[in-house]
Amino acid sequence: MEHINAYLEYHRTVGDTVGDDVMSPQEYERYKREVLPERIANRFYTGWRIEGGIDCKLVGPETICHCQHRYKQHKTDYKTDVRPIPVPCNVCKCKAYTYVPTIGSQPARCTCKHVSSEHDLDLKCRKCGCRELKIPMTCGCGNASYLHHTFVETKEERREKGLPVGQDVPYAAMGGLTGFSSLAQGYMRFDPSGARELTPQQLSEQNRYDEIFGPQVSRPPIKGKGKNKP
């Protein structure tokens, strides 16, 4: 188990940046000394939102781009003054990471009825005459998906907006993830990047009923819904 944990730690730290060859212990230590300080200082926070709205989706290392490659397969360890920040793919000719919403595990469809993988990198459909990827599906925030855009921000830019930046971590391509709550959609997140923040009283109640590792406590019944199960 110790060796498995060590390999998982290695894989999360190195990511897909050095190919399939496993580094020697000496190379790995040198990699951490040279790369990790720059990675932490220049981390990109990536997500999907409507202008002026909440962060409806926070992108993680496994989140798929329009080019069908994962965020961790894009270039994320570098410093740039270019805005918007480009996050090009290391595998294909994609010039910038672009999040595409899904319905569960299935890709959402464009108004032309074709999915994003049937559109090229310029968003033109290969199946019909559609010249853009326009997904009409309604986001949890109440707005159409095509009104949203992918954003890439630095730590300083997020702090200026009062948005969470989390702790400094050595792992590659963490994107917008700053904690377990980052995995939830924006309208369900109780932090500054989500729909609203909990008051101290609400937070106390939330901890009382949602303690993960402590004793399980039954929730009180919701009016009109009968008694909840534990």
Side-chain angles (χ1 to χ4, degrees):
M1 182 61 70
E2 180 181 349
H3 297 294
I4 294 175
N5 290 335
Y7 175 76
L8 291 175
E9 181 76 9
Y10 168 87
H11 186 68
R12 293 189 188 104
T13 302
V14 175
D16 291 353
T17 59
V18 296
D20 297 328
D21 295 332
V22 178
M23 296 180 184
S24 67
Q26 295 77 16
E27 291 174 329
Y28 183 43
E29 290 302 317
R30 184 170 64 251
Y31 176 91
K32 290 193 291 185
R33 288 195 305 270
E34 295 175 355
V35 175
L36 298 194
E38 289 295 316
R39 173 180 294 168
I40 291 172
N42 302 314
R43 175 178 170 178
F44 295 151
Y45 292 81
T46 306
W48 186 69
R49 68 160 77 105
I50 193 169
E51 191 64 37
I54 62 175
D55 295 347
C56 294
K57 170 68 178 181
L58 292 170
V59 168
E62 301 293 337
T63 311
I64 296 289
C65 172
H66 168 66
C67 72
Q68 303 306 301
H69 294 112
R70 300 181 188 279
Y71 183 69
K72 67 180 182 180
Q73 295 173 294
H74 289 67
K75 183 180 179 181
T76 59
D77 286 337
Y78 74 103
K79 185 177 181 179
T80 180
D81 294 325
V82 176
R83 296 295 185 275
I85 300 173
V87 182
C89 186
N90 294 321
V91 182
C92 69
K93 296 180 179 180
C94 169
K95 296 180 179 180
Y97 179 89
T98 303
Y99 172 74
V100 178
T102 59
I103 304 175
S105 62
Q106 300 301 313
R109 294 182 179 272
C110 173
T111 52
C112 74
K113 308 302 181 184
H114 298 116
V115 297
S116 63
S117 59
E118 295 172 315
H119 291 68
D120 62 23
L121 294 180
D122 294 323
L123 305 184
K124 297 178 182 177
C125 185
R126 301 187 187 95
K127 297 285 187 178
C128 65
C130 173
R131 302 184 65 83
E132 64 177 338
L133 178 61
K134 187 175 182 179
I135 298 176
M137 181 187 75
T138 302
C139 172
C141 72
N143 295 287
S145 293
Y146 63 80
L147 297 175
H148 294 65
H149 67 277
T150 301
F151 68 84
V152 183
E153 299 171 333
T154 64
K155 181 182 293 185
E156 291 72 22
E157 290 169 342
R158 289 200 51 94
R159 279 178 172 163
E160 289 175 1
K161 297 177 181 178
L163 299 175
V165 296
Q167 300 179 354
D168 292 336
V169 292
Y171 305 132
M174 289 300 290
L177 303 186
T178 58
F180 283 113
S181 64
S182 302
L183 301 174
Q185 296 184 49
Y187 76 96
M188 295 189 292
R189 278 199 313 277
F190 297 118
D191 64 33
S193 71
R196 62 187 176 90
E197 294 185 74
L198 290 176
T199 64
Q201 181 179 356
Q202 289 173 323
L203 184 59
S204 176
E205 290 296 313
Q206 185 80 358
N207 290 336
R208 178 187 174 193
Y209 297 118
D210 291 335
E211 178 61 46
I212 299 175
F213 299 109
Q216 295 186 5
V217 181
S218 300
R219 288 180 178 271
I222 300 174
K223 293 182 179 180
K225 296 293 184 180
K227 185 176 181 180
N228 282 11
K229 295 181 179 180

